[in-house]
Structures are given as C-alpha cells and as structure tokens.
C-alpha cells in the first residue's frame, strides 16, 4: 500500500471535499470524498465507508491519516539496552520506555553471547564474581521490571544474538532453536518445512525465552492448550554453579524425563533460574484456518463467554462494554484442500507515520485535559467501526479483504507485527508505542479468571457500566477488552485451570500525578478481578497492584521456589522485583502521593489520589471493598 503526500492530505482536511482527478487517478489510486457526514476513503481500490460527526478539521485530518498508514517500510524498535561506554555503564528499559514505577534500571555491563559456549562463559564469570544477572530480549516487551538487576553493578545478558534455529526434524515434527529466536522467525522457519506451532500470542516480536519466562499464550481450550510452554519437550538452561563445575552448569530438561519437576518450574520461570539457551518444541503439520468475525450485542456475553471457547478452536472475543457489543472470532481448522491464501496484518502492529501517532496522542491528551467524554466516545466508536469493517487486518489474498470467511495457512494467520520489518527510516514511521516519538503511552491490565467465575465477573463489569455508561469509551481507542481462552497447565507458575484471559489497554498520562478520565472505573475492575475473583496476573504485563498476593494463588509455588533454590542458591538471577512478586520480600506497593494513579498502591487516603484535582479515595460502585480514586464534585 502507498500513501498520498501530507500536503494533499492537509488539503483534504482543510477543504473537506476532494474529487481531484490527479489524486484519484494519478496519485496511487487514492482519493477521498465528502458528502454530508459520510466520508468515503478508497485506498488502492479498497472502499472504506464510515459515518462520524467530526467537529473540527483536525479530527478529519486525524482519521484520514489513520486510514492511510498502510505503508511498505517500517522503523523497527530501538535496542532496549543503552550504554555510555561501549558495553559498560548501561541502562535498560522496556519497549514502551517506562516501567510501572517510571524508575530507570541500571547495570554495570551488558553481554551479547552468540552461542551456548559463550553464554556459559558469561554466566561463569559473573557467578565467580558473585554478580547479579538478568536476561534481556531483543525487544524487551514485558511491562514490569523483570529485566532489572539489583543495584548499579549488575550484568544484563542479552539473547539478541542467540537467534538461530538449530534443527528442524520434519519426521518427528520437532524444532530446536536458541532462546533469542523471535516468534516471527519460528513461524516462518517452521512453515518452510511444512510445520506449524498450533497456538501462539498475536504479536511477532516476542522471543522464545521471553514467551516461556512470562507464560505467554494464544487462545484455545483445545488440544494441549494455548500456552507456548505446553509444547516444550526439551530445554537447556545455563545456571550458576560451584568451583567444581567451573561456576556454570548446562542443565538439560525433558518433559516427563528425570528432571520433570525442574521442567515444570523452568517452563514459566520469570528468569530466576538461569538463562535458557535452547528450546525444543513439538510442532504440527502446517494446516489451514477459516476465520469469520461476528459482531453481536453483549446482552448474553456472560453466558456465551463460558461456552464459546469450546465451540471454535481458535476462539476469542473482543468486548466493547460502553458500546454494549462484542465481536466473536469464529476460527477453526479446515481441510488443506480448501482454497484461500488469507493473511492477518493487525492494524495495531503495523508501522504508522510518526505524524499520525502525534496527532492521535495530542487529540487524546486534549480530550483528557478538557474532560471531553463525548469526544472519546465518538473516537472510540470510530476506531472500533474501522477495525470491524476492515476485518481487523484480515485480507483474503494478502492485499484485499473481500468478505468472510478468510481462509489461509496457519503461518499467515496466527500472528503479525509489520512494524518490526524493514530498514530504519529516521523514525518517519514506527510501532505505535515507540517511545522515541510522541506516540501512544498506556497501561495494560491483564488477568485470567477461571471459567467458572468468568460469567459473574462479566456481569459485575456490565453492572458497573450501567452506572457510568461512558466510562470505558477510552479503551475502545485501544480495541476494547480482548478475551482469550487459556487451559490449565502443569507448569508451576502457569494457569491453574481453564480460564478466560482479559487484556485491557488504556490511556496513561505522561505526568504520573495526573488522573485520567474515569480513573476509578478501571481501578475498580482491576481490584475486582484480582481480589474478588482471584484473577491470575499475566507475568509480562500489569501494574504493581495486580501482583499483590499473586504467588499465593499458585498451588505449586513452594515447589517452584525449591527448584529456584537448587538452581541459583545465591539468588544471582533474582532481583528486588522478582523477590517481591514471588512473595520473598515486601515492597511490591509504594505508598506516596498519587501512588494509586499509577497502580503502585491501593488508595487508603485522599493524598494517594489527586485531591487537588478533585480525585479522592472512595469505595467502588459495585465492588464495595475496592478503594479507588473517584472524581468528587465540591460539596459531595
């Protein structure tokens, strides 16, 4: 796809009418027309019609630019580790440029081993020096401080250069790869051999080591389940050791092998056992899928959510509570003889012109500052309508969406991440969350609730929305609430039983002391999920509050800690953050002025909110035990 020049787009925004033959015929077959309040955008022959009342030309410009962001090249995210003196005196961040507490994590040094032998040497030298270590991935996608070593003297071990697919055994359907291989690499290399990973997260940029460290997953209740670690049959992990073993040891673990208990700990490890060097996964023959998205009213969502996951193999649900509608993914395997070459290129993972991201962010900041609830709701409805009409980035042939079902091979439909591809382009385009530009900046609250309790949780959220109907319009701009199905796992820190995962992305202010619109509603949902319904936090996402008491919810937590003690008795791969999350030390929450706004604490006093801006600590509206920052009018 190609994009008209910004000057022509500005002319569209200013005049609100374009029927220029040059734009229409000569400028990449792209043209825009305006009649009444209906805008028609045609991009290389694709017609997108939508109806919106946009009050200002800048909003028209914003949405025209949004549509015209499907471009050929991308600007990949930058390296998360930065050092002032070659590989010394370093800082580490995540792909969003900020941890939940906005602290800066430092390390004395970073190492980039490119083989298991080099990795062993790195771990041995650090162990001999009694030095703290943490592992970093290429894109550092986790939101919490999993990557941070303690103090300023620690060592970051990056798996960026451990990125080789070692072997693919087509007959046994096994692939062995280094831990720094990305999901995109795995999918593509497996497909070349006629094989497929059956389930995976939807984002290409995760590494195999990172996927296992945080228990990342796709969506299914079928087969072995949606978590990647369910398909691990062998693993090699480098751990500290004593003088007799030259200070480092390579441990080989196999599913149902001699060290099966160790394997159950290593499958979801939070990086506290050592460094995964190699992983062997059990794959399946490459297959085809048929996908249809169906939009319905959410009246019976609580009933449907409990059964929908067993009706379709790759089912998920996207919920827009303030709009009272939900989109169901009817997604199943079909015969390889069924024709179709569909492709999924999710709009949220594509490269976007930096100017577009700046407009999007500025508009949202303006709405937040002015309390423009109507504007957020209108923009939310527009965004969701655009995604629904555009089939969430599905195309029938890799170019155009012509209608459902979309049928194609698993490797073309299971995940996407276009903004990772292409050369650097001076940040003309970027992933939407890239911190180098003024793009999206957000919180993510993600938790899994066991299926037997999911119905009641959904109904509680619906009851909350009935009290404050427009309160969740803001999340529609980030594609609502993604609900994925996750099966119970034998991994000690995996899901305890079949569950429904709720993934919520929402606006975060650049100012940690500035509350957002309807601050209290998402805080109440967060606390309701974690405390009333016993939700399990996603290890790679969430604010601090979601991890409170989390380790006590895992039946095999003690067994995990025993393996941790055996593999790393000195705690060299542990950090202040991991000790807090694992219940080994206090300090997970920070009580200070404004701490509840960032999820660093649950408010107990008004000062934990923003009293100077009218936000005071109050009980929840539905979950009365919650304590949230509510906007209180004077005299109330």
């Amino acid at each position: 796809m190609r994009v008209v020049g910004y000057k022509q787009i500005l002319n569209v925004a200013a005049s609100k009418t374009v029927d220029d033959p040059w734009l229409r015929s000569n400028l990449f077959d792209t043209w825009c027309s305006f009649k009444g309040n209906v805008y028609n955008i045609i991009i290389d022959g694709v017609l997108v019609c939508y109806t919106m009342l946009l009050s200002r030309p800048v909003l028209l410009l914003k949405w025209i630019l949004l549509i015209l962001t499907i471009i050929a090249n991308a600007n990949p995210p930058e390296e998360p580790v930065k050092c002032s003196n070659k590989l010394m005196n370093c800082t580490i961040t995540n792909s969003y440029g900020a941890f939940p507490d906005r602290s800066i994590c430092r390390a004395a040094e970073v190492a980039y081993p490119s083989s298991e032998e080099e990795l062993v040497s790195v771990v041995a030298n650090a162990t001999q020096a009694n030095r703290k270590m943490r592992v970093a991935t290429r894109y550092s996608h986790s939101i919490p401080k999993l990557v941070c070593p303690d103090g300023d003297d620690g060592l970051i071990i990056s798996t960026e250069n451990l990125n080789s697919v070692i072997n693919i055994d087509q007959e046994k359907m096994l692939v062995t790869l280094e831990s720094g291989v990305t999901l995109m690499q795995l999918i593509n290399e497996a497909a070349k051999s006629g094989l497929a990973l059956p389930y995976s997260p939807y984002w290409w940029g995760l590494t195999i080591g990172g996927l296992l460290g945080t228990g990342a997953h796709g969506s299914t209740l079928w087969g072995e389940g949606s978590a990647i670690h369910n398909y691990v049959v062998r693993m090699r992990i480098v751990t500290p050791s004593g003088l007799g073993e030259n200070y480092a040891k390579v441990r080989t673990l196999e599913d149902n092998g001699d060290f099966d208990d160790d394997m159950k700990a290593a499958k979801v490890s939070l990086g506290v056992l050592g460094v995964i060097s190699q992983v062997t996964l059990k794959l399946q023959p490459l297959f085809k899928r048929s996908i249809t998205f169906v939009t319905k009213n959410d009246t019976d969502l609580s009933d449907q959510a409990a059964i929908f996951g067993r009706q379709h193999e790759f089912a998920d649900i996207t919920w827009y509570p303030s709009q009272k509608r939900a989109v169901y993914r009817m997604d199943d395997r079909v015969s390889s003889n069924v024709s179709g070459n569909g492709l999924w290129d999710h709009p949220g993972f594509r490269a976007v012109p930096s100017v577009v991201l700046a407009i999007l962010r500025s508009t949202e900041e303006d709405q937040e500052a002015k309390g423009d609830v109507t504007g957020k709701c209108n923009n939310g409805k527009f965004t969701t309508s655009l995604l629904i009409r555009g089939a969430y980035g599905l195309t029938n042939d890799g170019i155009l969406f012509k209608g459902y079902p979309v049928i194609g091979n698993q490797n073309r439909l299971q995940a996407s991440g276009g903004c990772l591809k292409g050369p650097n382009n001076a940040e003309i385009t970027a992933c939407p969350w890239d911190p180098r530009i003024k793009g999206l900046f957000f919180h993510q609250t993600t938790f899994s609730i066991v299926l037997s309790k999911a119905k009641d949780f959904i109904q509680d959220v619906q009851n909350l929305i009935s009290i404050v109907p427009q309160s969740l319009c803001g999340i529609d701009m980030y594609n609502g609430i993604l609900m994925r199905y996750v099966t119970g796992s034998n991994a000690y820190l995996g899901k305890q039983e079949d569950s429904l995962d709720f993934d919520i992305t929402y606006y975060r202010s650049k100012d940690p002391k500035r509350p957002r619109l309807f601050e209290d509603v998402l805080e109440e949902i967060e606390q309701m999920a974690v405390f009333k319904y016993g939700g399990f936090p996603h290890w790679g996402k969430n604010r601090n509050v979601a991890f409170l008491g989390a380790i006590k919810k895992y039946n095999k937590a003690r067994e995990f800690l025993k393996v941790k003690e055996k593999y790393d008795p000195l705690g060299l791969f542990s950090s202040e953050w991991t000790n807090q999350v694992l219940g080994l030390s206090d300090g997970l929450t920070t009580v200070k002025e404004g701490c509840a706004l960032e999820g660093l604490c649950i408010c107990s006093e008004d000062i934990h909110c923003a009293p100077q801006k009218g936000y005071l600590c109050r009980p929840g509206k539905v979950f009365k035990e919650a304590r949230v920052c509510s906007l209180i009018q004077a005299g109330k």
Side-chain angles (χ1 to χ4, degrees), residues 555-606:
N555 298 326
K556 298 290 186 178
R558 288 185 179 180
E559 284 79 354
F560 177 85
L561 293 176
K562 289 178 182 177
V563 176
K564 174 183 177 298
E565 178 66 20
K566 179 172 70 172
Y567 277 31
D568 185 21
L570 298 178
L572 298 181
F573 278 93
S574 295
S575 66
E576 180 181 45
W577 169 255
T578 61
N579 284 339
Q580 291 168 351
V581 169
L582 292 172
L584 299 176
S585 65
D586 297 326
L588 188 56
T589 58
T590 302
V591 178
K592 62 179 182 179
E593 181 181 353
C595 58
L597 303 179
E598 293 277 274
L600 300 179
C601 74
I602 296 173
C603 71
S604 57
E605 301 177 18
D606 291 341

XYZ file of all heavy atoms in Angstrom, residues 555-606:
400
model
N -0.785 -23.272 43.341
C -0.732 -24.443 44.217
C 0.676 -25.001 44.376
O 0.990 -25.621 45.397
C -1.652 -25.538 43.674
C -3.102 -25.103 43.624
O -3.555 -24.336 44.478
N -3.843 -25.578 42.624
N 1.502 -24.817 43.368
C 2.841 -25.393 43.377
C 3.924 -24.324 43.569
O 5.074 -24.528 43.165
C 3.097 -26.151 42.075
C 2.152 -27.331 41.836
C 2.431 -28.480 42.790
C 1.601 -29.691 42.447
N 1.888 -30.846 43.339
N 3.571 -23.231 44.198
C 4.553 -22.156 44.383
C 5.745 -22.623 45.206
O 6.895 -22.276 44.910
C 3.889 -20.961 45.048
N 5.510 -23.413 46.231
C 6.620 -23.889 47.055
C 7.563 -24.777 46.254
O 8.786 -24.694 46.413
C 6.076 -24.656 48.267
C 5.407 -23.759 49.322
C 5.010 -24.574 50.543
N 4.389 -23.726 51.549
C 3.940 -24.169 52.732
N 4.066 -25.469 53.023
N 3.385 -23.342 53.584
N 6.989 -25.626 45.410
C 7.822 -26.482 44.573
C 8.675 -25.654 43.623
O 9.843 -25.972 43.365
C 6.956 -27.472 43.784
C 6.425 -28.639 44.604
C 5.223 -28.283 45.465
O 4.853 -27.090 45.520
O 4.654 -29.189 46.087
N 8.087 -24.564 43.094
C 8.858 -23.675 42.216
C 10.032 -23.077 42.976
O 11.169 -23.044 42.467
C 7.966 -22.558 41.671
C 8.716 -21.568 40.817
C 8.934 -21.807 39.471
C 9.243 -20.405 41.377
C 9.655 -20.918 38.689
C 9.959 -19.506 40.602
C 10.167 -19.759 39.254
N 9.786 -22.613 44.195
C 10.846 -21.971 44.974
C 11.940 -22.968 45.356
O 13.110 -22.582 45.484
C 10.251 -21.314 46.215
C 9.324 -20.119 45.930
C 8.714 -19.603 47.226
C 10.068 -18.994 45.212
N 11.581 -24.248 45.516
C 12.596 -25.262 45.794
C 13.542 -25.432 44.608
O 14.762 -25.562 44.779
C 11.925 -26.599 46.116
C 11.220 -26.640 47.476
C 10.536 -27.985 47.684
C 9.782 -28.024 49.001
N 9.049 -29.318 49.190
N 12.981 -25.433 43.401
C 13.816 -25.535 42.202
C 14.683 -24.292 42.071
O 15.873 -24.366 41.721
C 12.954 -25.734 40.944
C 13.821 -25.749 39.687
C 12.152 -27.030 41.048
N 14.109 -23.150 42.356
C 14.866 -21.898 42.303
C 16.064 -21.959 43.253
O 17.182 -21.577 42.894
C 13.965 -20.723 42.677
C 14.663 -19.381 42.799
C 13.695 -18.311 43.246
C 14.384 -16.966 43.447
N 15.430 -16.995 44.501
N 15.844 -22.465 44.451
C 16.916 -22.560 45.429
C 17.995 -23.536 44.960
O 19.196 -23.310 45.163
C 16.339 -23.013 46.771
C 17.363 -23.195 47.887
C 18.022 -21.892 48.320
O 17.452 -20.808 48.056
O 19.123 -21.965 48.905
N 17.595 -24.619 44.317
C 18.554 -25.608 43.822
C 19.390 -25.058 42.674
O 20.604 -25.280 42.599
C 17.819 -26.872 43.377
C 18.738 -27.959 42.825
C 17.990 -29.259 42.581
C 17.021 -29.173 41.427
N 16.453 -30.504 41.082
N 18.738 -24.340 41.756
C 19.432 -23.849 40.569
C 20.285 -22.615 40.856
O 21.330 -22.428 40.231
C 18.410 -23.514 39.482
C 17.955 -24.703 38.670
C 17.884 -25.974 39.217
C 17.585 -24.550 37.345
C 17.460 -27.058 38.479
C 17.160 -25.631 36.585
C 17.102 -26.885 37.160
O 16.685 -27.960 36.426
N 19.828 -21.770 41.764
C 20.510 -20.491 41.990
C 20.482 -20.152 43.481
O 19.796 -19.225 43.904
C 19.845 -19.386 41.163
C 20.574 -18.052 41.263
O 21.766 -18.043 41.617
O 19.931 -17.014 40.988
N 21.199 -20.918 44.287
C 21.122 -20.717 45.749
C 21.574 -19.336 46.212
O 21.142 -18.865 47.268
C 22.035 -21.818 46.309
C 22.936 -22.201 45.173
C 22.125 -22.013 43.932
N 22.427 -18.685 45.427
C 22.886 -17.346 45.805
C 21.930 -16.248 45.343
O 22.132 -15.075 45.668
C 24.283 -17.095 45.227
C 25.405 -18.018 45.719
C 26.713 -17.689 45.016
C 25.558 -17.917 47.231
N 20.922 -16.624 44.569
C 19.952 -15.621 44.094
C 20.553 -14.633 43.114
O 20.104 -13.479 43.041
N 21.518 -15.078 42.314
C 22.172 -14.158 41.382
C 21.243 -13.736 40.246
O 21.406 -12.644 39.687
C 23.434 -14.809 40.804
C 24.531 -15.171 41.819
C 25.736 -15.777 41.118
C 24.943 -13.942 42.634
N 20.289 -14.595 39.887
C 19.336 -14.249 38.834
C 18.036 -13.657 39.400
O 17.098 -13.406 38.648
C 19.017 -15.473 37.971
C 20.054 -15.741 36.920
C 21.103 -16.605 37.170
C 20.003 -15.100 35.687
C 22.077 -16.852 36.213
C 20.966 -15.326 34.723
C 22.007 -16.209 34.983
N 18.009 -13.440 40.692
C 16.850 -12.806 41.313
C 17.107 -11.316 41.483
O 18.245 -10.862 41.467
C 16.559 -13.438 42.682
O 16.173 -14.785 42.536
N 16.034 -10.585 41.636
C 16.139 -9.141 41.819
C 15.137 -8.705 42.879
O 14.309 -9.503 43.348
C 15.838 -8.413 40.504
O 14.473 -8.598 40.136
N 15.212 -7.470 43.246
C 14.240 -6.921 44.201
C 12.814 -7.143 43.692
O 11.929 -7.553 44.438
C 14.504 -5.438 44.408
C 13.552 -4.774 45.396
C 13.825 -3.298 45.546
O 14.028 -2.616 44.506
O 13.850 -2.813 46.684
N 12.613 -6.917 42.375
C 11.278 -7.059 41.800
C 10.803 -8.505 41.827
O 9.686 -8.799 42.263
C 11.256 -6.520 40.371
C 10.002 -6.857 39.620
C 9.860 -7.790 38.639
C 8.709 -6.298 39.811
N 8.565 -7.841 38.199
C 7.825 -6.933 38.900
C 8.196 -5.319 40.664
C 6.481 -6.633 38.817
C 6.838 -5.019 40.572
C 6.003 -5.657 39.664
N 11.631 -9.440 41.401
C 11.198 -10.839 41.375
C 10.970 -11.366 42.789
O 10.051 -12.160 43.018
C 12.198 -11.741 40.635
O 13.463 -11.715 41.288
C 12.357 -11.297 39.190
N 11.786 -10.939 43.745
C 11.570 -11.356 45.132
C 10.233 -10.845 45.661
O 9.530 -11.547 46.395
C 12.708 -10.866 46.024
C 13.979 -11.691 45.854
O 13.940 -12.827 45.385
N 15.118 -11.112 46.217
N 9.873 -9.643 45.280
C 8.589 -9.091 45.719
C 7.425 -9.853 45.095
O 6.467 -10.217 45.771
C 8.526 -7.607 45.354
C 9.464 -6.723 46.148
C 9.593 -5.325 45.574
O 9.100 -5.031 44.473
N 10.254 -4.437 46.307
N 7.518 -10.120 43.804
C 6.447 -10.817 43.099
C 6.295 -12.250 43.612
O 5.180 -12.770 43.725
C 6.711 -10.807 41.579
C 5.763 -11.748 40.859
C 6.550 -9.397 41.033
N 7.416 -12.891 43.950
C 7.389 -14.265 44.445
C 7.123 -14.353 45.941
O 7.165 -15.443 46.521
C 8.715 -14.958 44.119
C 8.980 -15.214 42.627
C 10.394 -15.734 42.413
C 7.960 -16.187 42.056
N 6.836 -13.226 46.575
C 6.488 -13.224 47.990
C 7.657 -13.419 48.918
O 7.484 -13.757 50.096
N 8.884 -13.201 48.440
C 10.070 -13.399 49.258
C 10.499 -12.133 49.980
O 11.357 -12.180 50.862
C 11.220 -13.911 48.379
C 10.959 -15.250 47.680
C 12.125 -15.602 46.767
C 10.723 -16.348 48.701
N 9.938 -11.006 49.588
C 10.235 -9.744 50.270
C 9.069 -8.788 50.094
O 8.218 -8.976 49.213
C 11.528 -9.114 49.719
O 11.370 -8.746 48.363
N 9.024 -7.779 50.948
C 7.969 -6.770 50.877
C 8.379 -5.660 49.901
O 9.468 -5.672 49.345
C 7.720 -6.175 52.266
C 7.218 -7.212 53.267
O 6.486 -8.122 52.835
O 7.578 -7.110 54.458
N 7.461 -4.704 49.723
C 7.781 -3.531 48.913
C 7.163 -3.519 47.540
O 7.501 -2.667 46.716
N 6.234 -4.459 47.272
C 5.606 -4.502 45.950
C 4.801 -3.236 45.677
O 4.726 -2.770 44.545
C 4.711 -5.735 45.841
C 4.129 -6.050 44.468
C 5.218 -6.200 43.425
C 3.278 -7.316 44.521
N 4.194 -2.684 46.719
C 3.469 -1.421 46.562
C 4.266 -0.301 47.209
O 5.018 -0.509 48.168
C 2.072 -1.499 47.194
O 2.184 -1.827 48.583
C 1.232 -2.548 46.491
N 4.083 0.887 46.683
C 4.758 2.079 47.182
C 3.702 3.089 47.599
O 2.893 3.517 46.771
C 5.662 2.697 46.101
O 6.611 1.722 45.674
C 6.383 3.918 46.628
N 3.694 3.447 48.857
C 2.693 4.385 49.374
C 3.297 5.776 49.380
O 4.248 6.064 50.111
C 2.232 3.986 50.790
C 1.234 5.006 51.326
C 1.617 2.593 50.779
N 2.756 6.626 48.517
C 3.217 8.003 48.443
C 2.134 8.828 47.754
O 1.111 8.301 47.314
C 4.524 8.097 47.673
C 4.433 7.633 46.223
C 5.777 7.777 45.514
C 5.664 7.361 44.042
N 6.965 7.520 43.346
N 2.352 10.097 47.634
C 1.384 10.974 46.981
C 1.135 10.519 45.540
O 2.072 10.314 44.768
C 1.912 12.415 46.968
C 0.966 13.409 46.330
C 1.526 14.821 46.303
O 2.608 15.043 46.901
O 0.880 15.709 45.695
N -0.141 10.316 45.200
C -0.524 9.954 43.844
C -0.237 8.516 43.453
O -0.400 8.150 42.277
N 0.143 7.667 44.406
C 0.578 6.312 44.054
C -0.526 5.472 43.419
O -0.248 4.593 42.591
C 1.136 5.592 45.277
S -0.012 5.455 46.677
N -1.791 5.713 43.781
C -2.879 4.898 43.229
C -3.116 5.183 41.748
O -3.636 4.328 41.026
C -4.165 5.130 44.010
N -2.750 6.369 41.286
C -2.984 6.736 39.890
C -2.187 5.854 38.933
O -2.619 5.612 37.800
C -2.611 8.203 39.654
C -3.314 9.239 40.538
C -2.812 10.639 40.206
C -4.829 9.157 40.366
N -1.039 5.379 39.389
C -0.162 4.549 38.561
C -0.243 3.072 38.923
O 0.520 2.267 38.408
C 1.282 5.036 38.700
C 1.531 6.404 38.114
C 1.769 6.338 36.612
O 2.913 6.117 36.184
O 0.799 6.501 35.866
N -1.144 2.729 39.834
C -1.242 1.331 40.246
C -0.099 0.889 41.124
O 0.167 -0.308 41.252
N 0.589 1.832 41.768
C 1.674 1.496 42.690
C 1.149 1.188 44.083
O 1.881 0.669 44.926
C 2.685 2.646 42.757
C 3.355 3.025 41.434
C 4.316 4.187 41.637
C 4.086 1.822 40.845
N -0.113 1.537 44.350
C -0.745 1.238 45.616
C -2.252 1.229 45.428
O -2.766 1.658 44.383
C -0.360 2.268 46.686
S -1.191 3.883 46.477
N -2.960 0.742 46.420
C -4.411 0.910 46.507
C -4.638 2.041 47.485
O -4.116 2.012 48.609
C -5.092 -0.379 47.001
C -4.878 -1.503 45.990
C -6.578 -0.147 47.226
C -5.370 -2.848 46.469
N -5.389 3.020 47.100
C -5.522 4.204 47.942
C -6.185 3.855 49.281
O -7.077 3.016 49.356
C -6.300 5.306 47.225
S -8.075 4.977 47.029
N -5.697 4.474 50.307
C -6.347 4.423 51.611
C -6.573 5.829 52.148
O -7.334 6.023 53.094
C -5.501 3.611 52.602
O -4.194 4.153 52.726
N -5.909 6.809 51.545
C -6.074 8.224 51.886
C -6.235 9.012 50.590
O -5.788 8.591 49.519
C -4.860 8.741 52.659
C -4.574 7.994 53.957
C -3.318 8.495 54.636
O -2.877 9.628 54.300
O -2.764 7.769 55.481
N -6.845 10.180 50.713
C -7.071 11.015 49.531
C -5.762 11.403 48.850
O -5.701 11.524 47.620
C -7.849 12.276 49.915
C -9.288 11.989 50.307
O -9.792 10.896 49.947
O -9.903 12.830 50.980
